[in-house]
Amino acid sequence: MSIEKREITVIGAGVIGSAIAWRLATQGHSVRVLDPEPPGFGGASYGNVGHIAAELVEPLPSPKLLLTFWKELVQFGGPLHMPMRHWFGLLPWSLRFAMAAFRRAENTRALAPLVRTATTDFQQMLEAFGRTDLLRQNGHYQIWYGAKAEQAAAAEAAHMATLDIPTAPADASWLNVQAQRAGVDAIAGLHFPTCGHVLDPAEVGKACADAAKAHGAVFEPVAATKIERRGAGLVITHSAGQINTEAAVVAAGVWSKPLLEAFGLKVPLQPAYGYHVELPNEPAQIDAPILYSDQRLLVTPMAGRLRASSFMEFSGLHSKVDPRKFTRLDELLAQVGYPKSDPSRRWRGPRPILPDYLPGLGQVPGQPIYYAIGHQHIGLTLAPMTAEVMGRLIDGSHPHIPCDAFDLRRFG
């Protein structure tokens, strides 16, 4: 089949946008990427904790969570922060979240094919442009402490088995070391062998961009503010002027909403701010991410440092940094045996989340405008598969996995 080669502008140079640019450039399209930040350094991409989460095949909304979400609030030691001043603005999104909870099985069937092969997808993408040095395929570990630790680990293993996610008990001698570090007697843990991690999420984004440039893509440091139809093509207004293009892909994270809603789509996108701290030169406990379940804390070994991340802060776009969360991250790290983080290595950024925790992948009806948004906490994980899906969609071939569930028209 002959594929029409077009001038395509990708809006957003995070890991999603840069991976899409690479894919489209390799397909022979003339690709331009607009983003005020360097590739891989803006939005959520830079601060990702680096875990390739091939186990997260289930969207977050569930009936159980609706009944117990209060336990996740920061007021009760959890990672979820929803400031009271933002409650009213969150109400429509929260109602959609609640409705999605009762479609979890259906939504899992849609999401799982995107996620399940993520580590292999990453290997293949990085092989294509010679950067497999950024990837580790050692799985990840999940740890519980206390009298109910073994019960919790057994329940998690059983649940993962229902989803065809393999697990195995963590090595007993390694767990004993972790128990000593945390000052506890009882511990249990699981190994998830199909997962992986990257040594530097920003470097992954840059590597995607460099590979796209090698195939002719051009990156421009400007912010797109408006898309308009003009004849058979588009005009994109940006911070330094305007450009004409035949087609556009919106992959601008939390900043995608106004660009798409101008064409009649409903885009109930919320920024959920995550926080991370880093521990330079701190040795890893194992060459794999560790999820400390009781602390809701994920620690990943990266190049020359450990990165620790937590929190889901629904405080609205452009809200201010809450320094108490960095203090809390240090407290959580201390609980499991780590030293204090470096105050100069702190980050806060907005993860783009749709209320059903499915991404938005598709085309604006009747327009040469495509979108790849709403990848919630697993944008890094889904970057290679998203690039593959969008490449097929834009070339007019059918994506190799069902994608109807990701069409934004599901929101009306």
Side-chain angles (χ1 to χ4, degrees), residues 107-361:
N107 289 344
T108 297
R109 287 192 293 272
L111 183 62
L114 276 182
V115 178
R116 195 179 299 278
T117 60
T119 307
T120 300
D121 298 337
F122 240 96
Q123 172 72 21
Q124 293 174 349
M125 183 180 76
L126 293 176
E127 278 181 352
F129 42 81
R131 290 306 310 270
T132 55
D133 58 297
L134 292 170
L135 178 66
R136 296 290 183 269
Q137 299 185 66
N138 301 324
H140 87 271
Y141 290 81
Q142 189 166 353
I143 289 176
W144 294 262
Y145 299 112
K148 296 183 179 180
E150 289 194 9
Q151 180 182 344
E156 180 71 359
H159 181 61
M160 289 294 106
T162 68
L163 300 170
D164 294 324
I165 302 297
T167 63
D171 179 76
S173 60
W174 179 77
L175 284 175
N176 287 336
V177 172
Q178 304 314 306
Q180 292 171 14
R181 285 171 53 85
V184 300
D185 295 324
I187 189 171
L190 293 176
H191 180 224
F192 292 70
T194 61
C195 302
H197 72 283
V198 300
L199 298 184
D200 192 322
E203 189 63 27
V204 171
K206 181 178 180 297
C208 291
D210 288 345
K213 291 175 185 178
H215 287 85
V218 175
F219 285 69
E220 298 185 12
V222 297
T225 56
K226 188 177 183 180
I227 307 173
E228 298 174 275
R229 185 69 183 263
R230 184 169 297 176
L234 303 168
V235 175
I236 299 177
T237 301
H238 58 72
S239 52
Q242 291 185 328
I243 60 167
N244 296 305
T245 189
E246 293 182 274
V249 181
V250 178
V254 297
W255 296 277
S256 302
K257 181 181 173 79
L259 297 173
L260 294 171
E261 288 192 335
F263 291 88
L265 288 175
K266 291 186 177 179
V267 187
L269 199 62
Q270 279 290 334
Y273 283 91
Y275 288 69
H276 86 221
V277 297
E278 292 190 337
L279 291 75
N281 303 314
E282 179 68 16
Q285 292 304 300
I286 200 164
D287 189 16
I290 304 174
L291 174 60
Y292 297 92
S293 298
D294 303 312
Q295 287 74 23
R296 279 82 157 183
L297 177 70
L298 184 60
V299 177
T300 301
M302 293 190 179
R305 79 273 197 198
L306 302 181
R307 179 174 290 181
S309 182
S310 188
F311 296 113
M312 295 170 56
E313 179 187 274
F314 288 90
S315 55
L317 197 58
H318 309 305
S319 58
K320 295 181 179 180
V321 173
D322 181 356
R324 295 172 299 178
K325 291 186 173 66
F326 295 121
T327 301
R328 181 59 179 160
L329 278 170
D330 276 339
E331 293 171 352
L332 295 173
L333 285 166
Q335 289 177 16
V336 294
Y338 292 98
K340 196 170 183 179
S341 66
D342 183 341
S344 68
R345 306 281 287 268
R346 294 174 170 180
W347 172 90
R348 172 190 185 254
R351 306 181 185 105
I353 301 185
L354 292 163
D356 55 9
Y357 271 68
L358 298 179
L361 306 175

